[in-house]
Amino acid sequence: MTFYDDIYPFYSLQRTSFIFSGRLLTIILVFLVLAVSLLLILPGIRGKSRLFWMFRIIISLFIGVVIVALNFTNDWAEAKMTTNATYKSFSNAVVNAEIGLHVGLYGINVTLKGNPVVQFNETIDYNEMFSWHDTIEKQYEEALEKGLPNPILYIAEKFTLSSPCGLIFQYRYSGRYASATLWTAFCCWMLANILFSMPVILYAGYMMMATAAFIFFSMASFSTIMNVPQCVFSIGTDSFETTYSHSFWLALATGVLCTVIGILVVMLNCTMPEKMKEAFSVGVDSDEDEDASYGEGYLNTVFLDGVTVSPLTPKKVLAVSW
């Protein structure tokens, strides 16, 4: 291989941007198909219930896709800075680049983008993933063999077992517990949707609050990374520390939404249970149907000559005299 045509030594393919990962794209497509399939039934629903069912489907699927997607995003915490740094080992070349650290539940992404992108006749645009599943020392050795830029190697080294910072232990276990509680929240969300289709709406509200509780537990688990002594990443003359990012705040917003829905369902079910059952189309009493069956009657007088019939009243047996 050569340095030409934007192909670097030891690189068979360009890396995919961490923002549009294949897993996230699959999750979004699956939930979009579910949303379209469920929205197709709306024309068969009459009256104001159509609007209610539309919001119910959209909000429910939004909560579900967020819970699943949060397991695979890489921006629970992040840090960025633009600085001048040594580009490669055994070289005095200094580049101006934007360096980013993106922390997820299963690993970290380290990005390096030149400013401008093309410097020293090379395209400086790197995106490296280091996962907790594998031994990060092995991934770090592979990065050394590839000859990755110094800023990426420096940040990756901070998460190795031999690093004095000890970040790997806290980040790995915090991510694992956060992911486990998120999957529990997903199970609670599915159970809540099942209960909403049954005449036990009160318990569906409880499960929505349980969903919110497990989302908050996942946030609390991930937040423990901030309780350990912060490791300062110093590159060149600048330094940075990680802070909460988009996925963390999205989890907070989703948890609050689940809490509000759960509290509203429980309160409304306690104050007006019949209207709640009617709104969710479950547990409708059959008395109204029985009353409706006793309406005006039409008798064929040809077959009733000489028969006297008492006036027809609801829920009464006809009195016939010969």
PDB file of all heavy atoms in Angstrom, residues 14-49:
ATOM      1  N   GLN A  14     -11.616   2.242   5.057  1.00  0.00           N
ATOM      2  CA  GLN A  14     -11.851   3.407   5.890  1.00  0.00           C
ATOM      3  C   GLN A  14     -12.805   3.039   7.022  1.00  0.00           C
ATOM      4  O   GLN A  14     -13.714   2.230   6.845  1.00  0.00           O
ATOM      5  CB  GLN A  14     -12.458   4.542   5.055  1.00  0.00           C
ATOM      6  CG  GLN A  14     -11.492   5.126   4.037  1.00  0.00           C
ATOM      7  CD  GLN A  14     -10.503   6.067   4.684  1.00  0.00           C
ATOM      8  OE1 GLN A  14     -10.619   6.353   5.872  1.00  0.00           O
ATOM      9  NE2 GLN A  14      -9.536   6.529   3.933  1.00  0.00           N
ATOM     10  N   ARG A  15     -12.617   3.654   8.190  1.00  0.00           N
ATOM     11  CA  ARG A  15     -13.478   3.379   9.329  1.00  0.00           C
ATOM     12  C   ARG A  15     -14.805   4.097   9.173  1.00  0.00           C
ATOM     13  O   ARG A  15     -14.880   5.179   8.596  1.00  0.00           O
ATOM     14  CB  ARG A  15     -12.797   3.815  10.626  1.00  0.00           C
ATOM     15  CG  ARG A  15     -11.541   3.028  10.934  1.00  0.00           C
ATOM     16  CD  ARG A  15     -11.850   1.547  11.065  1.00  0.00           C
ATOM     17  NE  ARG A  15     -10.678   0.756  11.366  1.00  0.00           N
ATOM     18  CZ  ARG A  15     -10.288   0.456  12.592  1.00  0.00           C
ATOM     19  NH1 ARG A  15     -10.966   0.890  13.627  1.00  0.00           N
ATOM     20  NH2 ARG A  15      -9.236  -0.284  12.785  1.00  0.00           N
ATOM     21  N   THR A  16     -15.852   3.484   9.721  1.00  0.00           N
ATOM     22  CA  THR A  16     -17.176   4.089   9.677  1.00  0.00           C
ATOM     23  C   THR A  16     -17.344   5.034  10.847  1.00  0.00           C
ATOM     24  O   THR A  16     -16.889   4.771  11.947  1.00  0.00           O
ATOM     25  CB  THR A  16     -18.265   2.994   9.750  1.00  0.00           C
ATOM     26  OG1 THR A  16     -18.038   2.077   8.690  1.00  0.00           O
ATOM     27  CG2 THR A  16     -19.647   3.594   9.600  1.00  0.00           C
ATOM     28  N   SER A  17     -18.035   6.136  10.622  1.00  0.00           N
ATOM     29  CA  SER A  17     -18.254   7.106  11.684  1.00  0.00           C
ATOM     30  C   SER A  17     -19.041   6.473  12.813  1.00  0.00           C
ATOM     31  O   SER A  17     -20.011   5.748  12.597  1.00  0.00           O
ATOM     32  CB  SER A  17     -19.020   8.315  11.140  1.00  0.00           C
ATOM     33  OG  SER A  17     -19.341   9.190  12.183  1.00  0.00           O
ATOM     34  N   PHE A  18     -18.639   6.756  14.045  1.00  0.00           N
ATOM     35  CA  PHE A  18     -19.274   6.137  15.207  1.00  0.00           C
ATOM     36  C   PHE A  18     -20.718   6.588  15.375  1.00  0.00           C
ATOM     37  O   PHE A  18     -21.524   5.933  16.006  1.00  0.00           O
ATOM     38  CB  PHE A  18     -18.489   6.470  16.479  1.00  0.00           C
ATOM     39  CG  PHE A  18     -18.628   7.894  16.922  1.00  0.00           C
ATOM     40  CD1 PHE A  18     -19.562   8.232  17.864  1.00  0.00           C
ATOM     41  CD2 PHE A  18     -17.829   8.896  16.377  1.00  0.00           C
ATOM     42  CE1 PHE A  18     -19.702   9.543  18.279  1.00  0.00           C
ATOM     43  CE2 PHE A  18     -17.964  10.194  16.795  1.00  0.00           C
ATOM     44  CZ  PHE A  18     -18.891  10.526  17.734  1.00  0.00           C
ATOM     45  N   ILE A  19     -21.086   7.740  14.801  1.00  0.00           N
ATOM     46  CA  ILE A  19     -22.437   8.265  14.989  1.00  0.00           C
ATOM     47  C   ILE A  19     -23.456   7.397  14.254  1.00  0.00           C
ATOM     48  O   ILE A  19     -24.565   7.167  14.726  1.00  0.00           O
ATOM     49  CB  ILE A  19     -22.509   9.726  14.512  1.00  0.00           C
ATOM     50  CG1 ILE A  19     -21.565  10.589  15.347  1.00  0.00           C
ATOM     51  CG2 ILE A  19     -23.926  10.269  14.606  1.00  0.00           C
ATOM     52  CD1 ILE A  19     -21.481  12.021  14.895  1.00  0.00           C
ATOM     53  N   PHE A  20     -23.100   6.895  13.090  1.00  0.00           N
ATOM     54  CA  PHE A  20     -24.012   6.098  12.281  1.00  0.00           C
ATOM     55  C   PHE A  20     -23.543   4.646  12.275  1.00  0.00           C
ATOM     56  O   PHE A  20     -23.182   4.096  11.245  1.00  0.00           O
ATOM     57  CB  PHE A  20     -24.092   6.647  10.860  1.00  0.00           C
ATOM     58  CG  PHE A  20     -24.540   8.071  10.784  1.00  0.00           C
ATOM     59  CD1 PHE A  20     -23.639   9.086  10.601  1.00  0.00           C
ATOM     60  CD2 PHE A  20     -25.881   8.389  10.940  1.00  0.00           C
ATOM     61  CE1 PHE A  20     -24.059  10.404  10.545  1.00  0.00           C
ATOM     62  CE2 PHE A  20     -26.301   9.698  10.876  1.00  0.00           C
ATOM     63  CZ  PHE A  20     -25.390  10.710  10.687  1.00  0.00           C
ATOM     64  N   SER A  21     -23.539   4.015  13.424  1.00  0.00           N
ATOM     65  CA  SER A  21     -23.115   2.629  13.511  1.00  0.00           C
ATOM     66  C   SER A  21     -24.180   1.723  12.919  1.00  0.00           C
ATOM     67  O   SER A  21     -25.360   2.062  12.844  1.00  0.00           O
ATOM     68  CB  SER A  21     -22.861   2.243  14.976  1.00  0.00           C
ATOM     69  OG  SER A  21     -24.070   2.245  15.705  1.00  0.00           O
ATOM     70  N   GLY A  22     -23.730   0.535  12.505  1.00  0.00           N
ATOM     71  CA  GLY A  22     -24.665  -0.412  11.899  1.00  0.00           C
ATOM     72  C   GLY A  22     -25.734  -0.878  12.863  1.00  0.00           C
ATOM     73  O   GLY A  22     -26.888  -1.082  12.483  1.00  0.00           O
ATOM     74  N   ARG A  23     -25.377  -1.051  14.130  1.00  0.00           N
ATOM     75  CA  ARG A  23     -26.363  -1.499  15.115  1.00  0.00           C
ATOM     76  C   ARG A  23     -27.469  -0.463  15.312  1.00  0.00           C
ATOM     77  O   ARG A  23     -28.655  -0.809  15.365  1.00  0.00           O
ATOM     78  CB  ARG A  23     -25.669  -1.771  16.452  1.00  0.00           C
ATOM     79  CG  ARG A  23     -24.784  -3.007  16.454  1.00  0.00           C
ATOM     80  CD  ARG A  23     -24.120  -3.205  17.799  1.00  0.00           C
ATOM     81  NE  ARG A  23     -23.330  -4.419  17.854  1.00  0.00           N
ATOM     82  CZ  ARG A  23     -22.627  -4.803  18.910  1.00  0.00           C
ATOM     83  NH1 ARG A  23     -22.624  -4.037  19.996  1.00  0.00           N
ATOM     84  NH2 ARG A  23     -21.930  -5.927  18.891  1.00  0.00           N
ATOM     85  N   LEU A  24     -27.076   0.796  15.426  1.00  0.00           N
ATOM     86  CA  LEU A  24     -28.077   1.845  15.607  1.00  0.00           C
ATOM     87  C   LEU A  24     -28.996   1.936  14.399  1.00  0.00           C
ATOM     88  O   LEU A  24     -30.217   2.117  14.536  1.00  0.00           O
ATOM     89  CB  LEU A  24     -27.395   3.189  15.846  1.00  0.00           C
ATOM     90  CG  LEU A  24     -26.784   3.421  17.230  1.00  0.00           C
ATOM     91  CD1 LEU A  24     -26.128   4.786  17.294  1.00  0.00           C
ATOM     92  CD2 LEU A  24     -27.838   3.285  18.308  1.00  0.00           C
ATOM     93  N   LEU A  25     -28.425   1.813  13.207  1.00  0.00           N
ATOM     94  CA  LEU A  25     -29.238   1.866  11.992  1.00  0.00           C
ATOM     95  C   LEU A  25     -30.230   0.713  11.958  1.00  0.00           C
ATOM     96  O   LEU A  25     -31.399   0.895  11.587  1.00  0.00           O
ATOM     97  CB  LEU A  25     -28.324   1.824  10.764  1.00  0.00           C
ATOM     98  CG  LEU A  25     -29.015   1.967   9.398  1.00  0.00           C
ATOM     99  CD1 LEU A  25     -29.754   3.295   9.317  1.00  0.00           C
ATOM    100  CD2 LEU A  25     -28.006   1.849   8.274  1.00  0.00           C
ATOM    101  N   THR A  26     -29.805  -0.482  12.366  1.00  0.00           N
ATOM    102  CA  THR A  26     -30.706  -1.638  12.397  1.00  0.00           C
ATOM    103  C   THR A  26     -31.840  -1.424  13.389  1.00  0.00           C
ATOM    104  O   THR A  26     -33.016  -1.714  13.092  1.00  0.00           O
ATOM    105  CB  THR A  26     -29.914  -2.901  12.768  1.00  0.00           C
ATOM    106  OG1 THR A  26     -28.861  -3.101  11.816  1.00  0.00           O
ATOM    107  CG2 THR A  26     -30.831  -4.117  12.780  1.00  0.00           C
ATOM    108  N   ILE A  27     -31.515  -0.916  14.570  1.00  0.00           N
ATOM    109  CA  ILE A  27     -32.535  -0.676  15.596  1.00  0.00           C
ATOM    110  C   ILE A  27     -33.566   0.340  15.105  1.00  0.00           C
ATOM    111  O   ILE A  27     -34.786   0.150  15.248  1.00  0.00           O
ATOM    112  CB  ILE A  27     -31.870  -0.187  16.892  1.00  0.00           C
ATOM    113  CG1 ILE A  27     -31.020  -1.302  17.499  1.00  0.00           C
ATOM    114  CG2 ILE A  27     -32.923   0.281  17.904  1.00  0.00           C
ATOM    115  CD1 ILE A  27     -30.108  -0.840  18.618  1.00  0.00           C
ATOM    116  N   ILE A  28     -33.096   1.421  14.505  1.00  0.00           N
ATOM    117  CA  ILE A  28     -34.003   2.460  14.021  1.00  0.00           C
ATOM    118  C   ILE A  28     -34.910   1.914  12.927  1.00  0.00           C
ATOM    119  O   ILE A  28     -36.126   2.178  12.903  1.00  0.00           O
ATOM    120  CB  ILE A  28     -33.201   3.675  13.525  1.00  0.00           C
ATOM    121  CG1 ILE A  28     -32.498   4.355  14.700  1.00  0.00           C
ATOM    122  CG2 ILE A  28     -34.113   4.674  12.822  1.00  0.00           C
ATOM    123  CD1 ILE A  28     -31.545   5.457  14.287  1.00  0.00           C
ATOM    124  N   LEU A  29     -34.353   1.129  12.001  1.00  0.00           N
ATOM    125  CA  LEU A  29     -35.159   0.570  10.912  1.00  0.00           C
ATOM    126  C   LEU A  29     -36.223  -0.390  11.439  1.00  0.00           C
ATOM    127  O   LEU A  29     -37.360  -0.387  10.970  1.00  0.00           O
ATOM    128  CB  LEU A  29     -34.253  -0.142   9.908  1.00  0.00           C
ATOM    129  CG  LEU A  29     -33.377   0.754   9.017  1.00  0.00           C
ATOM    130  CD1 LEU A  29     -32.479  -0.088   8.124  1.00  0.00           C
ATOM    131  CD2 LEU A  29     -34.255   1.675   8.169  1.00  0.00           C
ATOM    132  N   VAL A  30     -35.848  -1.223  12.422  1.00  0.00           N
ATOM    133  CA  VAL A  30     -36.819  -2.178  12.986  1.00  0.00           C
ATOM    134  C   VAL A  30     -37.991  -1.439  13.624  1.00  0.00           C
ATOM    135  O   VAL A  30     -39.166  -1.776  13.389  1.00  0.00           O
ATOM    136  CB  VAL A  30     -36.128  -3.098  14.017  1.00  0.00           C
ATOM    137  CG1 VAL A  30     -37.166  -3.882  14.817  1.00  0.00           C
ATOM    138  CG2 VAL A  30     -35.174  -4.049  13.314  1.00  0.00           C
ATOM    139  N   PHE A  31     -37.718  -0.416  14.400  1.00  0.00           N
ATOM    140  CA  PHE A  31     -38.797   0.309  15.061  1.00  0.00           C
ATOM    141  C   PHE A  31     -39.589   1.163  14.065  1.00  0.00           C
ATOM    142  O   PHE A  31     -40.783   1.394  14.265  1.00  0.00           O
ATOM    143  CB  PHE A  31     -38.239   1.178  16.188  1.00  0.00           C
ATOM    144  CG  PHE A  31     -38.043   0.428  17.473  1.00  0.00           C
ATOM    145  CD1 PHE A  31     -36.863  -0.247  17.734  1.00  0.00           C
ATOM    146  CD2 PHE A  31     -39.048   0.386  18.425  1.00  0.00           C
ATOM    147  CE1 PHE A  31     -36.683  -0.948  18.918  1.00  0.00           C
ATOM    148  CE2 PHE A  31     -38.884  -0.307  19.612  1.00  0.00           C
ATOM    149  CZ  PHE A  31     -37.695  -0.984  19.864  1.00  0.00           C
ATOM    150  N   LEU A  32     -38.958   1.618  13.005  1.00  0.00           N
ATOM    151  CA  LEU A  32     -39.702   2.351  11.974  1.00  0.00           C
ATOM    152  C   LEU A  32     -40.684   1.428  11.265  1.00  0.00           C
ATOM    153  O   LEU A  32     -41.824   1.824  10.972  1.00  0.00           O
ATOM    154  CB  LEU A  32     -38.739   2.971  10.962  1.00  0.00           C
ATOM    155  CG  LEU A  32     -38.051   4.267  11.383  1.00  0.00           C
ATOM    156  CD1 LEU A  32     -37.082   4.724  10.297  1.00  0.00           C
ATOM    157  CD2 LEU A  32     -39.070   5.371  11.666  1.00  0.00           C
ATOM    158  N   VAL A  33     -40.261   0.203  10.988  1.00  0.00           N
ATOM    159  CA  VAL A  33     -41.171  -0.769  10.367  1.00  0.00           C
ATOM    160  C   VAL A  33     -42.348  -1.063  11.297  1.00  0.00           C
ATOM    161  O   VAL A  33     -43.516  -1.134  10.861  1.00  0.00           O
ATOM    162  CB  VAL A  33     -40.414  -2.061  10.016  1.00  0.00           C
ATOM    163  CG1 VAL A  33     -41.384  -3.153   9.581  1.00  0.00           C
ATOM    164  CG2 VAL A  33     -39.404  -1.794   8.905  1.00  0.00           C
ATOM    165  N   LEU A  34     -42.067  -1.230  12.596  1.00  0.00           N
ATOM    166  CA  LEU A  34     -43.145  -1.444  13.557  1.00  0.00           C
ATOM    167  C   LEU A  34     -44.100  -0.252  13.605  1.00  0.00           C
ATOM    168  O   LEU A  34     -45.327  -0.424  13.659  1.00  0.00           O
ATOM    169  CB  LEU A  34     -42.558  -1.693  14.945  1.00  0.00           C
ATOM    170  CG  LEU A  34     -41.936  -3.067  15.202  1.00  0.00           C
ATOM    171  CD1 LEU A  34     -41.287  -3.102  16.579  1.00  0.00           C
ATOM    172  CD2 LEU A  34     -42.975  -4.166  15.077  1.00  0.00           C
ATOM    173  N   ALA A  35     -43.542   0.957  13.580  1.00  0.00           N
ATOM    174  CA  ALA A  35     -44.380   2.150  13.637  1.00  0.00           C
ATOM    175  C   ALA A  35     -45.287   2.240  12.420  1.00  0.00           C
ATOM    176  O   ALA A  35     -46.489   2.511  12.536  1.00  0.00           O
ATOM    177  CB  ALA A  35     -43.497   3.397  13.737  1.00  0.00           C
ATOM    178  N   VAL A  36     -44.735   2.004  11.239  1.00  0.00           N
ATOM    179  CA  VAL A  36     -45.542   2.070  10.013  1.00  0.00           C
ATOM    180  C   VAL A  36     -46.622   0.999  10.029  1.00  0.00           C
ATOM    181  O   VAL A  36     -47.780   1.249   9.669  1.00  0.00           O
ATOM    182  CB  VAL A  36     -44.643   1.923   8.780  1.00  0.00           C
ATOM    183  CG1 VAL A  36     -45.480   1.787   7.513  1.00  0.00           C
ATOM    184  CG2 VAL A  36     -43.710   3.117   8.649  1.00  0.00           C
ATOM    185  N   SER A  37     -46.266  -0.206  10.481  1.00  0.00           N
ATOM    186  CA  SER A  37     -47.243  -1.305  10.522  1.00  0.00           C
ATOM    187  C   SER A  37     -48.405  -0.997  11.459  1.00  0.00           C
ATOM    188  O   SER A  37     -49.569  -1.274  11.149  1.00  0.00           O
ATOM    189  CB  SER A  37     -46.553  -2.602  10.954  1.00  0.00           C
ATOM    190  OG  SER A  37     -45.498  -2.926  10.076  1.00  0.00           O
ATOM    191  N   LEU A  38     -48.089  -0.416  12.620  1.00  0.00           N
ATOM    192  CA  LEU A  38     -49.144  -0.103  13.584  1.00  0.00           C
ATOM    193  C   LEU A  38     -49.970   1.110  13.165  1.00  0.00           C
ATOM    194  O   LEU A  38     -51.171   1.177  13.439  1.00  0.00           O
ATOM    195  CB  LEU A  38     -48.530   0.133  14.967  1.00  0.00           C
ATOM    196  CG  LEU A  38     -47.902  -1.101  15.624  1.00  0.00           C
ATOM    197  CD1 LEU A  38     -47.186  -0.715  16.901  1.00  0.00           C
ATOM    198  CD2 LEU A  38     -48.957  -2.164  15.906  1.00  0.00           C
ATOM    199  N   LEU A  39     -49.331   2.070  12.508  1.00  0.00           N
ATOM    200  CA  LEU A  39     -50.070   3.256  12.069  1.00  0.00           C
ATOM    201  C   LEU A  39     -51.018   2.950  10.911  1.00  0.00           C
ATOM    202  O   LEU A  39     -51.951   3.723  10.662  1.00  0.00           O
ATOM    203  CB  LEU A  39     -49.096   4.367  11.666  1.00  0.00           C
ATOM    204  CG  LEU A  39     -48.304   5.009  12.815  1.00  0.00           C
ATOM    205  CD1 LEU A  39     -47.289   6.004  12.280  1.00  0.00           C
ATOM    206  CD2 LEU A  39     -49.238   5.701  13.814  1.00  0.00           C
ATOM    207  N   LEU A  40     -50.788   1.835  10.220  1.00  0.00           N
ATOM    208  CA  LEU A  40     -51.677   1.476   9.112  1.00  0.00           C
ATOM    209  C   LEU A  40     -53.076   1.101   9.586  1.00  0.00           C
ATOM    210  O   LEU A  40     -54.023   1.125   8.791  1.00  0.00           O
ATOM    211  CB  LEU A  40     -51.074   0.310   8.318  1.00  0.00           C
ATOM    212  CG  LEU A  40     -49.874   0.653   7.426  1.00  0.00           C
ATOM    213  CD1 LEU A  40     -49.323  -0.602   6.771  1.00  0.00           C
ATOM    214  CD2 LEU A  40     -50.272   1.676   6.365  1.00  0.00           C
ATOM    215  N   ILE A  41     -53.208   0.761  10.887  1.00  0.00           N
ATOM    216  CA  ILE A  41     -54.529   0.382  11.399  1.00  0.00           C
ATOM    217  C   ILE A  41     -55.355   1.596  11.795  1.00  0.00           C
ATOM    218  O   ILE A  41     -56.542   1.460  12.096  1.00  0.00           O
ATOM    219  CB  ILE A  41     -54.404  -0.561  12.609  1.00  0.00           C
ATOM    220  CG1 ILE A  41     -53.805   0.198  13.809  1.00  0.00           C
ATOM    221  CG2 ILE A  41     -53.574  -1.770  12.263  1.00  0.00           C
ATOM    222  CD1 ILE A  41     -53.782  -0.602  15.092  1.00  0.00           C
ATOM    223  N   LEU A  42     -54.765   2.782  11.796  1.00  0.00           N
ATOM    224  CA  LEU A  42     -55.482   3.977  12.247  1.00  0.00           C
ATOM    225  C   LEU A  42     -56.718   4.289  11.424  1.00  0.00           C
ATOM    226  O   LEU A  42     -57.732   4.719  11.987  1.00  0.00           O
ATOM    227  CB  LEU A  42     -54.526   5.184  12.258  1.00  0.00           C
ATOM    228  CG  LEU A  42     -53.436   5.162  13.329  1.00  0.00           C
ATOM    229  CD1 LEU A  42     -52.578   6.411  13.226  1.00  0.00           C
ATOM    230  CD2 LEU A  42     -54.045   5.065  14.720  1.00  0.00           C
ATOM    231  N   PRO A  43     -56.709   4.115  10.078  1.00  0.00           N
ATOM    232  CA  PRO A  43     -57.940   4.408   9.331  1.00  0.00           C
ATOM    233  C   PRO A  43     -59.136   3.571   9.762  1.00  0.00           C
ATOM    234  O   PRO A  43     -60.287   3.965   9.539  1.00  0.00           O
ATOM    235  CB  PRO A  43     -57.540   4.099   7.879  1.00  0.00           C
ATOM    236  CG  PRO A  43     -56.067   4.314   7.848  1.00  0.00           C
ATOM    237  CD  PRO A  43     -55.582   3.855   9.185  1.00  0.00           C
ATOM    238  N   GLY A  44     -58.890   2.422  10.391  1.00  0.00           N
ATOM    239  CA  GLY A  44     -59.995   1.584  10.847  1.00  0.00           C
ATOM    240  C   GLY A  44     -60.543   1.975  12.204  1.00  0.00           C
ATOM    241  O   GLY A  44     -61.507   1.366  12.681  1.00  0.00           O
ATOM    242  N   ILE A  45     -59.955   2.986  12.836  1.00  0.00           N
ATOM    243  CA  ILE A  45     -60.428   3.458  14.139  1.00  0.00           C
ATOM    244  C   ILE A  45     -61.254   4.717  13.939  1.00  0.00           C
ATOM    245  O   ILE A  45     -60.824   5.657  13.275  1.00  0.00           O
ATOM    246  CB  ILE A  45     -59.243   3.740  15.083  1.00  0.00           C
ATOM    247  CG1 ILE A  45     -58.396   2.474  15.256  1.00  0.00           C
ATOM    248  CG2 ILE A  45     -59.739   4.235  16.442  1.00  0.00           C
ATOM    249  CD1 ILE A  45     -57.146   2.674  16.077  1.00  0.00           C
ATOM    250  N   ARG A  46     -62.434   4.759  14.511  1.00  0.00           N
ATOM    251  CA  ARG A  46     -63.349   5.873  14.301  1.00  0.00           C
ATOM    252  C   ARG A  46     -63.240   6.908  15.420  1.00  0.00           C
ATOM    253  O   ARG A  46     -62.840   6.609  16.525  1.00  0.00           O
ATOM    254  CB  ARG A  46     -64.788   5.368  14.218  1.00  0.00           C
ATOM    255  CG  ARG A  46     -65.057   4.408  13.065  1.00  0.00           C
ATOM    256  CD  ARG A  46     -66.509   3.963  13.080  1.00  0.00           C
ATOM    257  NE  ARG A  46     -66.802   3.045  11.984  1.00  0.00           N
ATOM    258  CZ  ARG A  46     -67.994   2.492  11.782  1.00  0.00           C
ATOM    259  NH1 ARG A  46     -68.995   2.754  12.623  1.00  0.00           N
ATOM    260  NH2 ARG A  46     -68.172   1.681  10.766  1.00  0.00           N
ATOM    261  N   GLY A  47     -63.649   8.113  15.084  1.00  0.00           N
ATOM    262  CA  GLY A  47     -63.797   9.168  16.087  1.00  0.00           C
ATOM    263  C   GLY A  47     -62.482   9.676  16.640  1.00  0.00           C
ATOM    264  O   GLY A  47     -61.420   9.583  16.030  1.00  0.00           O
ATOM    265  N   LYS A  48     -62.609  10.238  17.858  1.00  0.00           N
ATOM    266  CA  LYS A  48     -61.449  10.835  18.515  1.00  0.00           C
ATOM    267  C   LYS A  48     -60.421   9.794  18.958  1.00  0.00           C
ATOM    268  O   LYS A  48     -59.281  10.145  19.248  1.00  0.00           O
ATOM    269  CB  LYS A  48     -61.905  11.652  19.721  1.00  0.00           C
ATOM    270  CG  LYS A  48     -62.824  12.811  19.370  1.00  0.00           C
ATOM    271  CD  LYS A  48     -63.263  13.563  20.611  1.00  0.00           C
ATOM    272  CE  LYS A  48     -64.187  14.726  20.266  1.00  0.00           C
ATOM    273  NZ  LYS A  48     -64.649  15.450  21.477  1.00  0.00           N
ATOM    274  N   SER A  49     -60.833   8.532  19.018  1.00  0.00           N
ATOM    275  CA  SER A  49     -59.900   7.485  19.439  1.00  0.00           C
ATOM    276  C   SER A  49     -58.726   7.352  18.484  1.00  0.00           C
ATOM    277  O   SER A  49     -57.652   6.888  18.867  1.00  0.00           O
ATOM    278  CB  SER A  49     -60.628   6.143  19.550  1.00  0.00           C
ATOM    279  OG  SER A  49     -61.644   6.201  20.528  1.00  0.00           O
TER     280      SER A  49
END
